[in-house]
Amino acid sequence: MALIVQKFGGTSVANPDRIKNVAARVKKYRDQGDQVVVVVSAMSGVTDGLIKMAKEIMPLPNDREMDMLLATGEQQTIALTSIALHALGLPATSLTGAQAGIVTDGVHTKAKIKNISPKHVHELLDGGNVVIVAGFQGQTLEGQITTLGRGGSDLTAIALAAALKADLCQIYTDVDGVYTADPRIVKSAKKLPEISYDEMLELASLGAKVMQSRSVEFAKKFGVVFEVRSSLNDNLGTIVKEETLSMEGVVIRGVSLDKNQAKVTLVAVPDKPGVAARVFKAIADANLNVDMIVQNISHNAGMPATDLSFTVDKPDLLKAKLVIEGLKGEIGYKEVLADEKIGKLSIVGVGMRSHPGVAAKMFETLALEQVNIDMISTSEIKISVIIDLEKGEQAMRALHEAFLG
Ligand code: ADP
Ligand code: ASP
Ligand code: MG
C-alpha cells in the first residue's frame, strides 16, 4: 500500500465531466489499496475571472481581500471532487488549506508555507477516506486566509507530499509532461523523460508555467521526486529529480519564454553611492520580486547620471511604479518609464557548464532573426535575454531549432 499525492490543475477540473474523470482515476489507485490525497486547483479561468472582477472595482485591490476572494476558487473544486468520489461509492472528505494544517506567513497573495501539521489528513486517510485538499491556499497562525502565488497548487501538492512522506507525487496537467519548450508554441518540442530539479527550476522561473517555480524549489529542498503527466491519458510523464551524471551530456535541456515580465526604467539617476541600495530596499519592502537589473551611463543628462532598469512580474508593475514615484524627491531622477511589451527568452541546461560557446550561438541565432537584445543575464546553467514581446515566439522557435531541432 502506497501513499500517493495527486494534483490536478485547472484544465483537469474544468467542468463536471473532467471532475468525474479525476474521480475515476483516483478510484483506480484506491482500488489497488493505495491511500490517496488529491490536491485540486480552481477550475480553469476561475482565478483569472475573480481577479478581473476585483480590478474592475479598483485597480489595486487590497491583498488580504484578494486572498479571501481567490481562495473561493479552490473551495468549489474540492467539494465537487469529493461529491464525484461519493458518486463512485468512495468515502471522501474535502479540506481547505487551513483544515489540512497548512500554516503560512502573512504575506498575502504570495505567502510562504511555514509548516504543515498533517495529523488530520492522516486520520482521515486511516479512516479509509480519500482526502481532497484545496491547492494554492493556507492560513496564518492568526487565522487569516492566504494564497501561495499563481500556480500555487503545485506547491500545495509538493509540500503535502513532503509532510506526509508520500511514496509518490504526481502532478496531472493538460500536456504529457515537461517538454523542451512550450508545446503550444513550438510544435517540434519533445517530451523529456526526466529533468533535474535545477533545470526544472530555471525553466519554471523563466516562464515555463507547467510547474510553479517555488514548488520546484521546495521539492529540491526536501528531495520530493515527482512526475508531471497528463490527466487526459495514461502516458508516462516526466520525472523531476536530483541531477544524475548522464544529464551533463545534454547541453541545452529546454527553451522558455516569459511573457509576464515588465521593465521599469529610472531615467537619469544621480550617479552616487547608495542610490541602488535605496531603490531596491524600497522595492523589497513592498514585497516585490526583482529579476534582472541593468545600470548604464546615461547620455542625455548634464551631470553624472545613470539609467537604472529592472524587471518585475507584470502584475506587480503598478505597485513598483508607485514605490519608485514615492522616491522621486529623495533620489532626484528625471522620470520613470514602464514597458510591458517585453519578453524574457531563455535557454537552460546543466550541460552548459562544460560546453563553451553557447552564448555566442544564442546571440548569433537571434541576430539572424533580426531580434534586438535589450538586457542579458546568465547563471551557470541558463542564459536569458529581454527582447521585444512581439518577436518572442518567433525567436523562441529559432532558438529551439538551433539547439534542439
Ligand atoms: P495546470 O492548470 O495543470 O496547472 P498550467 O496551465 O499551469 O497547468 O501548465 C500547463 C501548461 O504549461 C501547458 O498547457 C503548456 O502550454 C505550458 N508549458 C509551458 N512551457 C512548457 C514546457 N516546457 N513543457 C510543458 N508545458 C509547458
Ligand atoms: N488557481 C490558482 C491559479 O490559477 C492556483 C493554481 O491553479 O495552481 O493560479
Ligand atoms: Mg499550473
Side-chain angles (χ1 to χ4, degrees), residues 138-256:
Q139 181 175 290
T140 65
L141 277 176
E142 295 76 35
Q144 299 291 332
I145 294 176
T146 51
T147 63
L148 310 175
R150 295 306 305 267
S153 300
D154 295 332
L155 179 57
T156 305
I158 303 268
L160 269 176
L164 295 164
K165 301 191 172 52
D167 302 293
L168 198 60
C169 179
Q170 300 173 320
I171 307 288
Y172 286 94
T173 182
D174 56 1
V175 286
D176 277 6
V178 181
Y179 282 70
T180 49
D182 187 340
R184 297 186 200 285
I185 301 177
V186 180
K187 292 288 167 232
S188 56
K190 295 177 205 75
K191 185 174 82 184
L192 298 163
E194 58 177 23
I195 185 169
S196 68
Y197 290 129
D198 287 339
E199 289 169 323
M200 187 68 246
L201 187 55
E202 290 286 10
L203 281 178
S205 51
L206 297 169
K209 71 164 183 162
V210 62
M211 285 301 295
Q212 188 212 31
S213 59
R214 281 176 49 198
S215 71
V216 184
E217 224 165 49
F218 198 103
K220 178 179 158 76
K221 193 164 162 198
F222 293 96
V224 178
V225 175
F226 61 96
E227 183 188 10
V228 180
R229 55 185 295 172
S230 171
S231 66
L232 305 169
N233 59 47
D234 286 322
N235 297 343
L236 288 180
T238 302
I239 304 289
V240 186
K241 59 178 195 182
E242 202 48 78
E243 183 179 335
T244 59
L245 260 183
S246 66
M247 289 179 176
E248 285 248 359
V250 180
V251 185
I252 300 299
R253 186 80 54 196
V255 182
S256 67

Side-chain angles (χ1 to χ4, degrees), residues 310-323:
F310 60 90
T311 59
V312 290
D313 292 341
K314 225 173 242 177
D316 285 342
L317 180 61
L318 201 54
K319 256 191 214 164
K321 244 189 109 187
L322 284 178
V323 170

Side-chain angles (χ1 to χ4, degrees), residues 11 32 66 80 86 130 137 146 171 181 190 195 218 221 234 294 333 355 363:
T11 39
Q32 292 170 24
M66 284 311 287
L80 290 168
H86 295 168
V130 175
Q137 54 174 263
T146 51
I171 307 288
K190 295 177 205 75
I195 185 169
F218 198 103
K221 193 164 162 198
D234 286 322
V294 169
Y333 58 83
H355 292 78
F363 301 155

